[in-house]
Amino acid sequence: MPDDISDLDKNRTLAQWLEWQLRQTRSRIRELEIKEQQERRRREQTHAALRWKIQPQRSSSAALVHRGDCALYPAKGGFLNREEALIALAEPDIEPCQICRPETGLVDG
């Protein structure tokens, strides 16, 4: 039985299949990039939750100590460890945030 499919048709079919594979691979790469980005954010949030930060004093209010993940003062760096946060809270002109209550995490630790 003779081969009824020409070389041109075979190659067009192959090209379509390879293009489909490429679309599938690119889609999977996008999914993995999103997953990796979400995982990185989760790790950063978890790490920040275990640390503290100080919001500088304003003219009408005291400086505030926040939990590292408190949204009221979104600092990207300058985190304090537990000991430093305890020292800061002992200062008369530094108060704990009334929303995230950072002293709770310090007492429990």
Side-chain angles (χ1 to χ4, degrees):
M1 183 180 237
D3 190 14
D4 292 341
I5 301 173
S6 71
D7 283 342
L8 178 60
D9 288 338
K10 288 178 186 178
N11 280 282
R12 284 181 177 153
T13 301
L14 177 61
Q16 289 173 347
W17 180 72
L18 291 171
E19 288 169 357
W20 176 84
Q21 277 192 319
L22 183 58
R23 284 191 307 273
Q24 295 298 312
T25 302
R26 286 183 174 156
S27 176
R28 182 67 178 144
I29 287 170
R30 281 190 300 274
E31 290 172 8
L32 292 170
E33 287 172 341
I34 290 169
K35 184 178 178 180
E36 185 177 279
Q37 190 176 51
Q38 290 170 338
E39 179 63 23
R40 185 175 54 251
R41 276 193 220 119
R42 187 196 61 74
R43 283 192 313 269
E44 289 171 358
Q45 288 172 344
T46 299
H47 185 67
L50 300 174
R51 301 180 6 168
W52 294 266
K53 55 192 173 184
I54 295 180
Q55 180 178 358
Q57 182 177 5
R58 296 182 186 162
S59 60
S60 62
S61 63
L64 296 174
V65 174
H66 296 273
R67 287 180 181 269
D69 60 348
C70 181
L72 290 180
Y73 184 62
K76 293 290 183 193
F79 290 103
L80 306 174
N81 62 32
R82 184 177 188 280
E83 183 179 327
E84 293 166 335
L86 285 168
I87 292 169
L89 286 171
E91 294 293 320
D93 57 342
I94 300 178
E95 299 175 3
C97 172
Q98 295 303 309
I99 303 301
C100 68
R101 304 188 50 81
E103 69 278 15
T104 304
L106 292 168
V107 172
D108 294 340

